[in-house]
């Protein structure tokens, strides 16, 4: 397997091994049909997508955001999925996507490399995949289907699958209801409270004032404070936040 320019075969091997170990500990959890559709969409645009578009982050994204985006994408396109996706003998499709994702991560997570890449990208930094017609009606419909399915999975307590779908839906079409449900489900895992806080705050930012969402966000922040061993004032607004409250925040 030949590595693209700027990425050594050893780097590809090390990243691939790390992601594969992560998949063994926490499988992706998507059904085959949804997984195939996501991979097909990525294949269709990988040739013209910038690293920002491919990873689903903006030019102002932090190193932490780039890392999280890479983790999601690398898990999705790892070559070990070839058989499950019906790509036995055609592993090169996933090899290409994985290598491109890793190259994007190594570029955008390094300040100097990112600066050089931004200069090379020029006007395309602001006009490529994230604007205008790029977010087509078809893409919005795909995101909506993922959101609907995530609700069904969440009702069955299949949270990891639902979270993966919601993260993809929010990347394709950032809507407050996607971030709201995503934050709610992430809050069920004490290791993901920071992600839950960020996504609930994002939902509030996109959707405007919402008392139920504000209460849910306060509740997550209280959980973070407790986990950090900080004192929590009595009567904090999040104390009585119902577990299913966010599901009623957005009904569209």
């Amino acid at each position: 397997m030949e590595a693209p320019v700027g990425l050594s075969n050893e780097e590809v091997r090390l990243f691939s091994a790390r992601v594969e170990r992560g998949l063994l500990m926490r499988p992706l959890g998507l059904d085959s049909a949804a997984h195939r559709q996501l991979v097909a969409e990525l294949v269709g645009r990988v040739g013209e997508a910038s690293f920002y578009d491919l990873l689903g982050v903006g030019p102002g994204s932090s190193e932490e955001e780039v890392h999280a985006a890479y983790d999601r994408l690398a898990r999705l396109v790892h070559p070990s999925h070839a058989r499950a996706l019906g790509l036995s003998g055609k592993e090169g499709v996933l090899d290409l996507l994985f290598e491109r994702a890793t190259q994007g991560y190594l570029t955008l997570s390094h300040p100097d490399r990112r600066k050089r890449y931004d200069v090379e990208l020029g006007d395309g930094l602001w006009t490529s995949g994230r604007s205008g017609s790029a977010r087509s009606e078809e893409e919005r419909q795909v995101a909506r289907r993922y959101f609907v399915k995530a609700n069904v999975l969440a009702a069955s307590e299949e949270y990891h699958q639902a979270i993966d779908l919601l993260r993809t839906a929010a990347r394709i079409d950032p809507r407050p209801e996607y971030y709201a449900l995503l934050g709610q489900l992430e809050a069920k895992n004490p290791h993901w409270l920071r992600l839950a806080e960020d996504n609930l705050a994002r939902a509030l930012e996109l959707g405007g004032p919402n008392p139920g969402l504000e209460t849910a966000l306060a509740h997550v922040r209280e959980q973070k404070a407790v986990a950090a061993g900080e004192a929590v004032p009595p009567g904090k607004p999040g104390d009585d936040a119902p577990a299913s409250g966010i599901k009623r925040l957005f009904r569209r």
Side-chain angles (χ1 to χ4, degrees):
M1 180 173 64
E2 292 296 321
V5 175
L7 183 62
S8 71
N9 289 320
E10 179 64 11
E11 284 176 314
V12 174
R13 187 188 69 78
L14 290 173
F15 275 89
S16 181
R18 190 198 71 183
V19 173
E20 187 167 11
R21 288 194 298 270
L23 285 166
L24 289 173
M25 292 187 291
R26 183 168 65 90
L28 187 61
L30 280 175
D31 65 61
S32 296
H35 195 174
R36 279 195 296 270
Q37 184 172 5
L38 287 170
V39 169
E41 291 168 358
L42 287 166
V43 170
R45 62 190 180 88
V46 67
E48 60 185 24
S50 70
F51 289 150
Y52 291 104
D53 295 328
L54 186 62
L55 292 176
V57 297
S61 57
S62 67
E63 184 176 339
E64 186 177 39
E65 289 171 327
V66 170
H67 178 81
Y70 171 73
D71 183 64
R72 291 193 294 270
L73 181 59
R75 284 168 51 79
L76 184 72
V77 303
H78 192 271
S80 63
H81 296 308
R83 183 175 180 181
L85 292 173
L87 293 174
S88 296
K90 301 178 181 178
E91 291 86 351
V93 172
L94 294 177
D95 288 341
L96 171 64
L97 289 173
F98 186 83
E99 290 170 9
R100 185 68 175 165
T102 303
Q103 189 176 27
Y105 170 68
L106 290 175
T107 299
L108 300 185
S109 63
H110 189 285
D112 290 338
R113 290 174 186 166
R114 189 196 286 209
K115 287 178 183 177
R116 289 195 296 270
Y117 180 69
D118 289 351
V119 171
E120 293 172 3
L121 202 57
D123 292 340
L125 178 63
W126 304 104
T127 60
S128 61
R130 284 297 178 188
S131 63
S133 61
R135 188 167 294 129
S136 65
E137 181 60 29
E138 181 180 354
E139 289 174 323
R140 287 193 290 270
Q141 289 176 1
V142 169
R144 175 58 58 176
R145 288 198 296 271
Y146 291 162
F147 174 64
V148 171
K149 184 165 185 177
N151 272 281
V152 174
L153 290 168
S156 302
E157 299 186 354
E158 297 181 42
Y159 300 127
H160 280 298
Q161 295 182 50
I163 285 170
D164 282 333
L165 284 174
L166 287 166
R167 285 173 175 168
T168 302
R171 177 182 59 79
I172 295 172
D173 184 20
R175 298 184 62 87
E177 59 265 38
Y178 302 168
Y179 283 106
L181 183 56
L182 176 57
Q184 179 195 24
L185 298 184
E186 287 173 335
K188 294 179 179 294
N189 186 328
H191 299 293
W192 290 353
L193 291 177
R194 183 193 57 75
L195 291 173
E197 179 184 19
D198 290 346
N199 285 316
L200 292 174
R202 180 65 170 154
L204 190 58
E205 176 186 346
L206 291 172
N210 188 314
L213 186 54
E214 291 165 4
T215 299
L217 179 57
H219 185 59
V220 168
R221 286 171 173 165
E222 176 189 332
Q223 289 178 282
K224 279 185 62 184
V226 170
E230 300 173 5
V232 179
K236 192 178 177 70
D239 288 348
D240 299 319
S244 61
I246 300 178
K247 292 182 180 178
R248 296 190 294 272
L249 294 176
F250 300 99
R251 298 182 178 276
R252 289 174 293 174

